[in-house]
């Protein structure tokens, strides 16, 4: 594990500090899409830096995590008004209320069944929504588990973090659920990604990166700075993952052997949250203080 000199990193201003760019995803249109958690907006950012804002129907809806769907649109969670949002590359937006009141949706991903799957933090459920807005909910066996991020795994199932249950969950498309407890107590997992072979996740409370294979075997890799508070993670390729260090103002990189490199962001205290692999092969991260960072490995 080592600290490395920064590769090419640039920061692109996209908002003021009050707007809060939080989630980021590569869209089917070759652009990056952002959620503005504090101002109820979605934005489209081209790799050349052109920015277009799309206000949502509620400034207080708290759009959080965003991802591309199988229908050519972007789907996102609205954690404050408990809806799932959808926006086309042309900016036409819609939203769908969840059946369970106060559910607090957070993570969202495209499933292997042409539907979107999402977590419900407040009500211990995993949700599924079709392209026409039909919603199914699956109750988890972990009261107070706080399901957070979710991703499609290499085994045709969905994998998710249970932030307060200290576990990684797995759900099949027909609703079968398995729970895998983490070796480190009170690790508080958040972000999760698939590299096509295994799942990688961050442990925000203890400063570690975890890896779980499809059979449930878990490995954990401590960061050099255990107070770094890793938040989101994305796989660039097999065993090649990048993550944000929200508490340390850095972007990190980990390989399958557990070798870790860290790169300081140019602006101090910029609060990096979501991270994605862009259409240009660079890593893009949303900085909650008002910028997007682009890192060229």
């Amino acid at each position: 594990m080592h600290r490395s000199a920064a590769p090419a990193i640039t920061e692109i201003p996209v908002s003021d500090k009050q707007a809060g760019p939080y989630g980021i995803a590569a869209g089917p249109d070759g652009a990056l899409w952002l959620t503005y958690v504090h101002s109820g907006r979605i934005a489209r950012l081209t790799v050349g830096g052109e920015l277009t804002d799309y206000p949502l129907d509620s400034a207080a809806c708290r759009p959080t995590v965003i991802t591309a769907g199988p229908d050519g649109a972007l789907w996102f969670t609205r954690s404050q008004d408990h809806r799932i949002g959808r926006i086309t590359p042309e900016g036409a937006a819609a939203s769908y209320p969840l059946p369970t009141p106060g559910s607090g949706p957070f993570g969202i991903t495209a499933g292997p069944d042409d539907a979107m799957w999402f977590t419900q933090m407040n009500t211990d459920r995993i949700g599924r929504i079709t392209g026409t807005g039909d919603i199914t909910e699956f109750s988890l066996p972990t009261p107070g588990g706080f399901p957070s991020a979710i991703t499609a795994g290499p085994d045709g199932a969905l994998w998710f973090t249970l932030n307060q249950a200290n576990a990684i969950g797995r759900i099949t498309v027909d609703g079968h659920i398995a729970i895998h407890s983490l070796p480190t107590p009170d690790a508080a997992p958040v972000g999760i990604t698939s590299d096509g072979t295994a799942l990688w996740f961050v442990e925000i409370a203890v400063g570690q990166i975890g890896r779980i294979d499809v059979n449930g075997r878990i490995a954990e890799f401590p960061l050099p700075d255990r107070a770094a508070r890793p938040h989101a993670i994305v796989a660039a390729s097999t065993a090649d993952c990048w993550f944000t260090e929200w508490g340390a103002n850095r972007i990190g990189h980990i390989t399958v052997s557990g070798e870790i490199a860290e790169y300081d962001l140019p602006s101090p205290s910029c609060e990096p949250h979501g991270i994605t692999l862009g259409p240009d092969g660079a890593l893009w991260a949303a900085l909650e203080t008002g910028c997007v960072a682009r890192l060229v490995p």
Side-chain angles (χ1 to χ4, degrees), residues 65-114:
V65 177
I66 189 167
T67 194
D71 57 350
L74 287 301
W75 291 76
F76 55 95
T77 50
R78 295 170 47 146
S79 61
Q80 186 63 37
D81 64 356
H82 317 294
R83 290 173 171 260
I84 300 300
R86 178 184 183 272
I87 188 167
T88 68
E90 296 74 34
S95 69
Y96 305 92
L98 300 185
T100 301
S103 57
F106 181 80
I108 189 166
T109 192
D113 56 350
D114 290 330

Side-chain angles (χ1 to χ4, degrees), residues 191 199-204 206-212 218-223 226 229-233 241-245 252-255 258 260:
L199 292 305
W200 293 79
F201 55 93
V202 301
E203 299 178 359
I204 193 171
V206 295
Q208 295 185 149
I209 304 300
R211 179 183 184 272
I212 183 170
I218 297 172
E220 294 173 312
F221 306 95
L223 298 178
R226 300 298 290 273
R229 298 189 68 78
H231 179 81
I233 188 166
C241 295
W242 295 80
F243 54 93
T244 53
E245 294 186 5
H253 177 250
I254 187 168
T255 66
I260 295 169

Side-chain angles (χ1 to χ4, degrees), residues 78 81-84 95-105 116 118-120 122-123 125-130 133-139:
R78 295 170 47 146
D81 64 356
H82 317 294
R83 290 173 171 260
I84 300 300
S95 69
Y96 305 92
L98 300 185
T100 301
S103 57
M116 305 302 295
F118 56 93
T119 61
Q120 299 180 40
N122 301 342
T123 54
R125 288 174 165 85
I126 301 297
R128 176 186 184 270
I129 183 169
T130 68
D134 294 324
I135 296 172
T136 307
E137 296 177 316
F138 302 91
S139 295

Side-chain angles (χ1 to χ4, degrees), residues 143-167:
F146 211 72
S148 300
I150 187 169
T151 193
D155 56 349
L158 292 304
W159 292 73
F160 54 94
T161 53
L162 286 160
N163 179 263
Q164 293 301 297
N166 206 54

